[in-house]
Amino acid sequence: MLLAGAGAAMTMVVATLIERKRNGGALAPAEWRELITAYTADQVPDYQMSALLMAIYFRGLSPEELAALTDAMLESGDRLDLGRRTVPAVDKHSTGGVGDKTSLLLAPMLAACGLMVPMMSGRGLGHTGGTLDKLESIPGFRTDLRLREAEDQVRRIGCALIGQTPEIAPADKRLYALRDVTATVESIPLIAASIMSKKLAEGVDGLVLDVKTGSGAFLPDPEMARTLAETMIGLGEARGCRTVALLTAMDRPLGRAAGNALEVEEAIEGLQGRGPDDLMELTYALGAEMLLVAGAAADRRDAQRKLGHVIESGAALDRLRAIIEAQGGNPAVVDDPGALPQAPVERIWEAPVAGIVSRVEPRRIGRAIMALGGGRMKVDDAIDPAVGFVITARPGDLVARGQPLATIHARDDSGARAAAQALAEAIVIGEPAAPLPLISHRITRDGVEPL
Ligand code: URA
């Protein structure tokens, strides 16, 4: 056994694995398995794993190594067991952005279409928001369900909105925390293994990936975003999970609201058929792909019709109410946005000059939300659910001087002043606008389709 024996011997063996990877060689599947098992059992120190992660960052992984690492991470924990079912299970994953609240709409919509949606999401990361933080702005809402509780809820009402439980891919949880502090997050194979080990543990039949590109995306470069999508599709398809990706724009915030409770309110408006156009277009496009990978729609038209029906009939909104109730939240938020946390200071921000809005820079907006207290600087920071922005200006809009373009929601005056400065930097008026297409490509196991 590679890693058996006393600490000193094991440390030496791990050092040879690091050395091989550092020199551009490959580790065998059995070596990945043993290494990840030993790391999860606290038998490999973080300093060695950090060195290996940095070697992977520079050298990459062969397809065989990536498959072995993903499987080892997946097998480091338990999987969701949805029992004997006649209904397909699907999920969606977004690589993250600012104002991206599509999960809050899609989970109840797809459950209302009759599918099982065991949706596992994350917290805000850097300037990007996280679905768990948004959900927790609903008074009482619990995202920390244990695995068996989540399974039971999905069987009962078709959906659970949860965080990574301690049972799911524990190796990923530890590796991700290490990557975060060792500058090894931005590695395509490590990102792909991390995301797919968790998604595959949900036991879903189909997965739709929303891979963002543009200045506010985790990977702003479209080529890297496409490679990440292709890598994740390869991992999913090889493990029996139909996986499709859409490449979508994150060179401006999605929708109007950015900030936790404000985004919940906008998602509810979307489920009431009153959402902003870009949010609804992307939600329908992702939802149609989810129905298609699940084999629950004949074609895209049929899928769009089904999605439209659950919004118009109120079935999706009812399902959101049921999910909130099941997870301990106050379902009154669905009918009364005043039941969500409210920021005490609201300020209108007006266009300082007339002209065409050329950019609304999402990174600047995301960082301003963090500064307002709506995101975390450190992992254990508490967040203020009420703060954020509602920005009505879109790239390409012609605006008059003094026209209201945004509302700031802040805890106090000094927060509102800093937020106004952030808007002055983020909203650029005057240069030509060249926003990215909202949905640029559809990627499947068969190739890349420009849209
Ligand atoms: N999200 C994840 O879950 N893992 C990564 O590596 C990056 C984003």
Side-chain angles (χ1 to χ4, degrees):
M1 277 245 300
L2 242 180
L3 298 166
M10 193 163 72
T11 304
M12 272 183 54
V13 178
V14 176
T16 64
L17 300 182
I18 299 169
E19 185 183 2
R20 198 183 323 144
K21 192 75 242 167
R22 183 199 68 194
N23 294 343
L27 275 57
E31 291 174 321
W32 284 113
R33 229 178 1 257
E34 281 191 58
L35 181 69
I36 295 300
T37 307
Y39 180 63
T40 313
D42 278 331
Q43 288 164 3
V44 174
D46 280 348
Y47 57 79
Q48 284 194 307
M49 195 48 92
S50 304
L52 183 67
L53 289 170
M54 192 55 88
I56 297 171
Y57 179 90
F58 282 113
R59 292 293 189 175
L61 293 176
S62 70
E64 295 71 32
E65 287 185 288
L66 175 62
L69 173 62
T70 307
D71 287 337
M73 286 164 66
L74 171 61
E75 281 152 24
S76 71
D78 210 340
R79 297 177 200 226
L80 218 71
D81 175 8
L82 297 173
R84 287 169 58 83
R85 57 193 162 82
T86 50
V87 175
V90 284
D91 193 10
K92 184 231 46 155
H93 177 84
S94 161
T95 57
V98 176
D100 181 4
K101 69 278 294 170
T102 58
S103 292
L104 302 177
L105 290 110
L106 287 166
M109 285 168 76
L110 274 291
C113 285
L115 302 190
M116 285 186 165
V117 192
M119 190 174 268
M120 199 162 58
S121 307
R123 299 204 173 273
L125 197 62
H127 68 283
T128 65
T131 301
L132 293 186
D133 296 328
K134 295 171 201 183
L135 288 166
E136 287 175 1
S137 72
I138 301 171
F141 196 98
R142 277 182 60 216
T143 57
D144 62 347
L145 306 195
R146 295 301 294 249
L147 192 65
R148 303 281 97 93
E149 239 182 312
E151 285 168 357
D152 177 56
Q153 185 175 313
V154 176
R155 289 192 194 128
R156 278 189 297 110
I157 59 171
C159 180
L161 296 170
I162 58 167
Q164 181 176 6
T165 75
E167 300 92 340
I168 296 272
D172 170 67
K173 199 159 189 146
R174 293 198 50 191
L175 285 170
Y176 192 85
L178 204 53
R179 287 167 57 211
D180 202 23
V181 292
T182 56
T184 50
V185 169
E186 294 90 349
S187 148
I188 287 179
L190 290 177
I191 297 171
S194 164
I195 293 173
M196 293 307 287
S197 63
K198 288 178 289 220
K199 290 291 156 183
L200 291 163
E202 293 174 349
V204 287
D205 307 292
L207 175 65
V208 176
L209 303 166
D210 178 0
V211 181
K212 306 285 189 195
T213 65
S215 58
F218 190 46
L219 293 176
D221 174 34
E223 279 311 306
M224 282 182 82
R226 184 166 143 176
T227 306
L228 175 64
E230 288 167 342
T231 307
M232 292 195 286
I233 289 167
L235 287 170
E237 292 282 349
R239 283 152 192 79
C241 174
R242 286 297 323 277
T243 311
V244 169
L246 296 181
L247 284 198
T248 75
M250 188 36 70
D251 59 340
R252 69 267 186 187
L254 181 66
R256 292 188 284 256
N260 296 295
L262 295 166
E263 293 189 43
V264 170
E265 186 176 340
E266 186 167 89
I268 291 169
E269 285 166 9
L271 292 173
Q272 291 165 337
R274 303 187 288 121
D277 291 349
D278 60 342
L279 173 64
M280 297 318 287
E281 183 184 339
L282 183 56
T283 300
Y284 271 77
L286 292 167
E289 297 297 342
M290 290 169 84
L291 286 170
L292 289 168
V293 291
D299 53 29
R300 192 156 285 105
R301 240 173 103 101
D302 183 37
Q304 299 260 351
R305 193 186 52 73
K306 287 187 157 82
L307 295 168
H309 177 70
V310 294
I311 297 246
E312 282 149 29
S313 65
L317 201 60
D318 285 345
R319 197 60 63 112
L320 179 66
R321 238 185 239 107
I323 296 165
I324 294 175
E325 214 155 357
Q327 295 188 221
N330 178 6
V333 298
V334 171
D335 304 296
D336 173 16
L340 286 164
Q342 306 290 319
V345 177
E346 267 189 42
R347 292 276 155 76
I348 306 282
W349 191 83
E350 296 166 350
V353 291
I356 298 204
V357 176
S358 41
R359 275 187 291 130
V360 181
E361 186 45 60
R363 247 173 223 269
R364 187 69 192 91
I365 300 292
R367 282 203 301 268
I369 295 171
M370 289 169 73
L372 279 168
R376 290 181 192 79
M377 305 285 182
K378 300 192 299 308
V379 192
D380 53 356
D381 279 349
I383 64 170
D384 185 338
V387 298
F389 299 95
V390 176
I391 303 172
T392 49
R394 318 292 311 156
D397 287 356
L398 178 62
V399 297
R401 182 161 182 263
Q403 181 178 328
L405 300 187
T407 309
I408 296 164
H409 296 250
R411 188 56 43 198
D412 51 35
D413 286 335
S414 80
R417 274 195 299 278
Q421 177 58 34
L423 286 175
E425 292 166 20
I427 303 182
V428 180
I429 300 174
E431 296 159 20
L436 294 172
L438 181 62
I439 306 169
S440 65
H441 295 84
R442 177 171 183 267
I443 309 179
T444 67
R445 62 186 170 188
D446 300 322
V448 181
E449 190 189 326
L451 296 174

